[in-house]
Amino acid sequence: MNVSRKFFNNKKILIYGMGKSGFSSYLFLKKNNYINLYDDRKEIFKNRLVKKFFLEKNKIFKIKFDYIVISPGINVNKCNLTNYLKKNSRIIVTDLDIFYSNYSKNKIITITGTNGKSTTAKLLTLILKNHKKDVRLCGNIGHPILLEKNISKKTIFVIEASSYQIDYSKIFKTNYAIILNISPDHLERHGSLNNYVNAKFKLLKSQSKKDFAYINAKDKYLHKKIKSSKVFSKIINVNLNKIYKFGKKINNPYFLTRGNQENLSFIFSICETLNLKNKNILKIINKFKGLKFRQEIIYKSKKVTCINDSKATSFASSINILKSLQKVFWLVGGIPKLGDKFTLKKSECKNINAYIFGKKKNFFVKQFKNKLSFYCFKDLKEAIQKTLDDIKNSNNSNLHKTILFSPSAASFDSFNNFEERGEYFNFLLKKYKVKKIINDF
């Protein structure tokens, strides 16, 4: 499909969902189009800027829209306009489509996968900046792509894309597609693992012969998909050998875990394609501190480390760090993902004690039974209190100890999001003077 900057001009457009991406779409499109807005939460239209564009639900059905711009957070199967959206699925687009119609000639790098998207996208952006490139980090990481200004022909976009964004998009394409990994996630939304994999893989299917796609050669889901699909782009299989050759030149402890090493291998692979300098790449890698609530070290002493990994919302996102630690006091709990399974063997759990919190304790008990030691608590506060007591009483062990807050579940039973959950964990650490306990240990 040929697209131009006028692709979305002089059109009747309904924007559904007034979160960050919806609001940015409104700002970008309002000048040249006939715009109406809708959100399941009517109270959001108290904002005078958008109130006059709000359309009542019963009036939506009477207008023939050219496009429906849908926010990624809207679930077509569970929203106020379910039947309407299903009947009009062919005209549903996203902010990525609007972006592509305006900047298709720019260099676009899109990163997706189940775990590690934000960290990898941020690190790649810093590396490109260090090479004096005009680079913009946008998308699912929290920066709406349509709010970017002062864009030139040389501007490079690094986009973190969720399966929802890719799934809803119609015309979006990327020059470089990175799928870091695949594990069961968002199945309650996609309906099946196959649908979830298809959504991610859509990035590759839309590429041309001039484009590049980076995948984990050992990922069973992607390997199977590659064999059964027609893909035109150049497929680059990525593995850990990409980082092994640098040996001791990587001295950042953040990259000691296997998960972060795998993500780093993708960084080296695409940097090689882009002809970036290894010296500059290593400089940024060794300075990189990671993102908040992603395996973030809060306190550390010679004997004890405290890590806030609130972003972990599935077992797959916690397992790699669990494997890399010696003696773990693991705080885990929340709303488990549909189809999620704890895949570590009993022999791999000898040094793990789990402190389960929240209302869905039975799910975790079933997963951990006959594999590791665990305790159950009403909430995170009680779990931390018990964890600290056990840390104090474990002086007889010479193993380095880690208090790991990696919930492996969604936060919505007690918190609005993983950020709020992470902040609360940090608050409790200060309240119980964990820093003093660690230093005195």
Side-chain angles (χ1 to χ4, degrees), residues 313-412:
T313 56
S314 67
F315 286 129
S317 53
S318 299
I319 280 174
N320 279 322
I321 190 170
L322 285 169
K323 284 181 178 180
S324 69
L325 301 172
Q326 292 181 306
K327 179 68 177 174
V328 191
F329 298 78
W330 180 24
L331 292 147
V332 55
I335 301 175
K337 295 288 182 73
L338 183 67
D340 203 11
K341 291 181 181 179
F342 183 66
T343 56
L344 287 185
K345 299 175 183 176
K346 186 177 181 179
S347 59
E348 298 174 295
C349 300
K350 290 178 181 178
N351 290 313
I352 301 174
N353 288 333
Y355 299 78
I356 305 167
F357 62 89
K359 298 174 183 177
K360 302 292 183 178
K361 291 184 280 289
N362 288 342
F363 169 82
F364 294 97
V365 169
K366 288 178 182 178
Q367 295 289 323
F368 298 157
K369 197 172 182 180
N370 300 321
K371 282 191 174 183
L372 54 80
S373 299
F374 58 84
Y375 312 89
C376 295
F377 304 92
K378 179 181 71 175
D379 53 29
L380 180 57
K381 184 178 178 181
E382 284 188 2
I384 287 180
Q385 288 175 321
K386 172 63 175 170
T387 304
L388 295 177
D389 287 340
D390 287 354
I391 282 278
K392 291 175 189 176
N393 296 326
S394 64
N395 224 354
N396 58 338
S397 171
N398 291 323
L399 295 177
H400 186 88
K401 298 163 186 66
T402 302
I403 300 171
L404 175 65
F405 179 53
S406 188
S408 300
S411 58
F412 307 123

Side-chain angles (χ1 to χ4, degrees), residues 55-69:
L55 198 64
E56 293 286 352
K57 180 181 175 181
N58 61 336
K59 292 182 179 179
I60 289 175
F61 310 135
K62 299 176 182 178
I63 299 174
K64 187 177 181 180
F65 290 102
D66 295 300
Y67 294 105
I68 303 168
V69 180

